[in-house]
Amino acid sequence: MANGSGTPQGNGHAAGPAPLDASRTTVTLAASLKPVPPAEELVFGKIATDHMAIAHYDPVNGWSAPEIKPYGPLMLDPLSSCLQYSTSLFEGMKAYLGADDKVRLFRPEMNMARMDRSRERIALPPVDFNEVLKIIKRFVKLEERWIPRVQGHSLYIRPTLIGTRASLGVGASDHATLYVICSPTGPYFRVARPLSLKAVGDYVRSWPGGTGGYKLSLNYAPTFHPQTVANKEGYDQILWLLGDKITEAGAMNFFAVLMRDDGDWDVVTPSVDGTILPGVTRHSCLELTGAHGSEISLYGLPSNLKLHPQERDITFTELEEASASGKLLEVFVVGTAVVVASVEKIGADGKKDIVLQRYEGSFGPVARGLYEKITGIQEGREQFRDWSVVCE
Amino acid sequence: MANGSGTPQGNGHAAGPAPLDASRTTVTLAASLKPVPPAEELVFGKIATDHMAIAHYDPVNGWSAPEIKPYGPLMLDPLSSCLQYSTSLFEGMKAYLGADDKVRLFRPEMNMARMDRSRERIALPPVDFNEVLKIIKRFVKLEERWIPRVQGHSLYIRPTLIGTRASLGVGASDHATLYVICSPTGPYFRVARPLSLKAVGDYVRSWPGGTGGYKLSLNYAPTFHPQTVANKEGYDQILWLLGDKITEAGAMNFFAVLMRDDGDWDVVTPSVDGTILPGVTRHSCLELTGAHGSEISLYGLPSNLKLHPQERDITFTELEEASASGKLLEVFVVGTAVVVASVEKIGADGKKDIVLQRYEGSFGPVARGLYEKITGIQEGREQFRDWSVVCE
């Protein structure tokens, strides 16, 4: 009857593959729950919570009903597109538990919008990311006991989309799996000191027409070998160059603070030109810098100090010159995992180290102001616009 | 006793993690075997044979005993490095069944050497690829019934190495899985006509300091969106440009044949400068071209025609000019999957198409000579140096 009726009514496929629908989510709880380790023992990304959220797409049926179910392995065909051709992408988000016992996300709609751009760049099937955010909120509330109740700690959320077409034919994946996992986390860098960077130009992270502007898994593997070499040389992270131009630092966005002739400070970060990840923290730092002295006052900075956020090219040579002339006030890196971290030294083969001024504690003045403000908003201690979103 | 003896004898870990050892391979046969489809129904990379070969690495124990076992899904932690950070790489090889009933591989040591370079580039754990080749030979012999006994058909072999570290920390994977799968295959392109290419420079496949010179999974996903667009515009494959410079075509190496003033022919392919995959077929085409008229005679070409293999930069502008002046004799692309395929047309946005001369059949003269020679060697109909390796 269903196949022979000739009418589209009652046939779920008549309108094409089913879209992702958070309201169809089923929940299966783990039979036993894992112990939550003490906050001070947490290492970034090592352990997952008790459950995961998952949904599957095929071109005939579309998206399956999402499931929240006990955390466990994925079963993947060895031919899968994600394994053979790296059709995979992710986001990094965090959930915070406030003193008011509310669970908050930080600007999650920006992650969802970026995830959709990443998806399109590697031709994965369509996803309604409004629905993904609904699933994430529900999932995070379920895992609330995993959110460390310690300042500077949070539950790291990793939404992931992978291509699961089982064929070696070199082409787009028309099958996909979306999954979300969570991992409780403390400070990304366990060291309580500023970072050292090694400027690298012979390995290149991104280039015009490439994928450096998207949060794709494939941007990371090529960085591991040079990162390992830099670590052996005593550097914490790589400062990625494209020619003389600075792009990113490790997997983080880069900022430099420069003294102007009029006494104001320029807060400079590379433009989003396709080689730079448009980071949520990067964007937030630019907005907060611009708001200092009017809408807000950043901790530790005089409110009559004018900060000028600038998105523009910045070269290694400019850094060297600004350092030599005493105009380079501070350098810091930002990202969801690290939030904000200051830099104390930048080395490069055959060049003199750029040594940054050391400030009290491990932060430069702008880095500290931004760190305090952002974590304050994230943890619900402060309000700023609609940046903090409560999971009801 | 074992832990307390204090002597290294009998302790397999004393000398560090165990290396991969093909002699430890265990074989578990599938309870029932799949039907082998008729050769004419084969689509590239769609079906796998009955078994797979697999081994796992962890930093304490090293490589597990390799297993040949029934084909089935991999169980992967959702945190796995290969899914999150694209630590995965592969090779493409083929096994041929000769009229003499022998199973042959084509220059497999070149694939193994390249696979090791790919492994090093993304910092995966060490593998002895001599042992991998032994495992492949044994596995392929076991799957012999899957090798189509039809000229131009073969068993495609896909050795794959993936990072399996289960952590979101952005760094090298110290766990890995090596697996080999096989898929019977006919001609890569089902169309019996030359290909059309679209020259693309706004999406860029590879870059100096990038990974285009390595056979990494991550080189492929970024090509799927522009490839889909090109297909919709009626082109078969993309001709990748870096500025004006030609790099590759689709996932294949590029060749152009140019008439010289002295009547000889230049057979030109881009140099291996880090942006070009050093293809086994590419390398073989250069060697055979150089040997024509002395060591061998390529089918259909006068033996007194001198062919000059050249590895050098070639630009889109040079192609246009050579086409306009009548000096562009033919263009073809090469790779393990396709072997050799001729090109009939190259388009570019806002430019006049470069239209290549049509020859009898779907091949230009050099392309045909190379195709016949290479498949002859592969299928054991011809001998050339030590290029064809029999699986005993």
Side-chain angles (χ1 to χ4, degrees), chain A residues 71 74 76-78 84 158 179, chain B residues 71 74 76-78 158 179:
Chain A
Y71 186 88
L74 304 171
L76 289 172
D77 194 298
Q84 296 294 335
R158 178 60 65 102
Y179 65 90
Chain B
Y71 187 88
L74 304 170
L76 289 172
D77 194 297
R158 178 59 67 101
Y179 64 91

Side-chain angles (χ1 to χ4, degrees), chain B residues 1 3 16 83 179 209 284:
Chain B
M1 273 286 279
N3 286 329
L83 301 174
Y179 64 91
S284 303

Side-chain angles (χ1 to χ4, degrees), chain A residues 255-259 265-267 327-332 366:
Chain A
F255 281 81
V257 182
L258 302 165
M259 171 72 81
W265 294 3
D266 282 336
V267 181
K327 291 184 173 169
L328 183 59
L329 299 177
E330 60 175 301
V331 167
F332 57 90
V366 176

Side-chain angles (χ1 to χ4, degrees), chain B residues 7-18:
Chain B
T7 64
Q9 287 92 334
N11 178 350
H13 304 160

Side-chain angles (χ1 to χ4, degrees), chain A residues 289-364:
Chain A
T289 302
H292 173 73
S294 54
E295 195 179 354
I296 57 161
S297 185
L298 292 176
Y299 172 87
L301 293 175
S303 54
N304 65 349
L305 172 66
K306 183 88 178 123
L307 302 178
H308 300 270
Q310 291 190 353
E311 297 179 78
R312 64 165 172 88
D313 283 358
I314 179 163
T315 62
F316 188 76
T317 303
E318 182 183 353
L319 271 198
E320 283 181 307
E321 290 170 357
S323 174
S325 66
K327 291 184 173 169
L328 183 59
L329 299 177
E330 60 175 301
V331 167
F332 57 90
V333 295
V334 311
T336 294
V338 72
V339 189
V340 178
S342 283
V343 171
E344 63 174 359
K345 190 179 78 172
I346 307 174
D349 283 337
K351 297 219 178 195
K352 212 167 125 254
D353 284 356
I354 298 174
V355 178
L356 282 299
Q357 191 182 328
R358 285 293 290 264
Y359 295 94
E360 183 73 23
S362 57
F363 283 114

Side-chain angles (χ1 to χ4, degrees), chain B residues 331-342:
Chain B
V331 167
F332 57 90
V333 295
V334 311
T336 294
V338 72
V339 188
V340 178
S342 282

Side-chain angles (χ1 to χ4, degrees), chain A residues 44-48 52 71-79 81-88 90 120-123 156 158 160 162 166-173 179 181 183 188 202-204 207-211 217-218 220-226 228 242 251, chain B residues 44-48 52 71-79 81-88 90 120-123 156 158 160 162 166-173 179 181 183 188 202-211 217-218 220-222 224-226 228 251:
Chain A
F44 179 79
K46 275 288 217 190
I47 55 165
M52 62 195 294
Y71 186 88
L74 304 171
M75 303 262 285
L76 289 172
D77 194 298
L79 296 167
S81 175
C82 56
L83 300 175
Q84 296 294 335
Y85 301 127
S86 293
T87 47
S88 68
F90 64 89
E120 192 174 24
R121 181 63 183 84
I122 54 170
Y156 184 83
R158 178 60 65 102
T160 307
I162 60 175
S167 167
L168 298 178
V170 176
S173 179
Y179 65 90
I181 50 184
S183 175
Y188 186 78
D202 50 349
Y203 291 95
V204 174
W207 53 83
T211 57
S217 304
L218 62 90
Y220 295 81
T223 69
F224 295 162
H225 172 69
T228 303
L242 181 61
Chain B
F44 179 80
K46 275 290 218 191
I47 55 165
M52 61 196 294
Y71 187 88
L74 304 170
M75 305 262 284
L76 289 172
D77 194 297
L79 295 167
S81 175
C82 57
L83 301 174
Q84 296 294 335
Y85 301 126
S86 293
T87 46
S88 69
F90 64 88
E120 192 173 25
R121 181 64 184 82
I122 56 171
Y156 184 82
R158 178 59 67 101
T160 307
I162 60 176
S167 167
L168 298 178
V170 176
S173 179
Y179 64 91
I181 50 183
S183 175
Y188 186 78
D202 48 352
Y203 291 96
V204 175
R205 195 196 83 90
S206 61
W207 191 272
T211 57
S217 303
L218 61 90
Y220 295 82
F224 295 161
H225 173 68
T228 304

